[in-house]
Amino acid sequence: MEEGEHMETVRIYLSGAMGSVSFEEQSKWRQQVINAIKYNYDCEKKVSFFNPVNYYNFEEVRYKTQREVMNFDLNGLRNSDLVIVNFNDPSSLGTCAELAIAYDMKIPIVGINKDGKELHPWVECFCDRICESIKEAVEYVVEFYLN
């Protein structure tokens, strides 16, 4: 990279169930993805993450309406370059809505389905790739989107 050139930043949205899983389950996998990409790989592009848990969660109520939460999260999604989704609860309506919007906006989607849960065929079609582990998903994202 030439001096004065700016490194491209890839914005990654971390999608997955929140209301139906514990705060720990919401947070742990997202932090694993962030840490793996930030600390285990030298990427050619900078990375920033939109982690919805950092803003709104179901343990600390900082919002007045669900519309506020939805609009905030969807704004973060629309401003992202890539979605990594964890299918820890394949029936999560919020996650499904995020995927449909990302798909419609042509934002690539990489899924994690570590338990091999049955997914709705449309959800499978939304994803560019579905991986069986966080490690597999991170390696794929680094190779194809960050280098």
Side-chain angles (χ1 to χ4, degrees):
M1 181 177 288
E2 300 286 324
E3 187 176 327
E5 277 188 66
H6 294 286
M7 185 182 262
E8 179 185 350
T9 298
V10 175
R11 297 165 305 217
I12 299 176
Y13 186 91
L14 301 172
S15 178
M18 292 180 63
S20 60
V21 298
S22 71
F23 181 74
E24 182 181 351
E25 288 175 279
Q26 295 170 36
S27 302
K28 185 177 178 180
W29 77 267
R30 287 176 168 95
Q31 200 56 56
Q32 288 172 329
V33 167
I34 292 168
N35 290 344
I37 291 174
K38 276 186 165 180
Y39 304 117
N40 295 344
Y41 297 93
D42 285 326
C43 300
E44 293 175 12
K45 298 173 185 169
K46 284 177 51 176
V47 184
S48 67
F49 296 91
F50 186 94
N51 180 353
V53 178
N54 289 345
Y55 305 100
Y56 294 108
N57 63 63
F58 296 97
E59 290 195 341
E60 179 187 1
V61 178
R62 297 168 50 197
Y63 54 88
K64 292 189 178 187
T65 67
Q66 284 297 322
R67 178 185 291 264
E68 173 189 345
V69 177
M70 177 187 72
N71 286 337
F72 185 85
D73 288 352
L74 292 180
N75 186 55
L77 173 71
R78 288 185 191 101
N79 288 298
S80 295
D81 302 301
L82 175 70
V83 173
I84 298 176
V85 57
N86 187 342
F87 291 111
N88 50 357
D89 179 1
S91 65
S92 168
L93 293 179
T95 301
C96 199
E98 289 172 347
L99 297 184
I101 291 166
Y103 180 80
D104 191 54
M105 294 187 66
K106 298 178 177 32
I107 299 171
I109 300 168
V110 176
I112 301 165
N113 189 10
K114 71 179 183 88
D115 297 325
K117 294 178 179 173
E118 185 175 343
L119 303 176
H120 189 283
W122 285 23
V123 170
E124 289 181 0
C125 290
F126 289 156
C127 295
D128 294 87
R129 176 171 289 196
I130 298 177
C131 302
E132 296 177 4
S133 68
I134 290 173
K135 183 179 191 298
E136 180 188 351
V138 165
E139 288 173 353
Y140 177 78
V141 166
V142 168
E143 181 177 355
F144 287 91
Y145 294 97
L146 303 179
N147 285 329

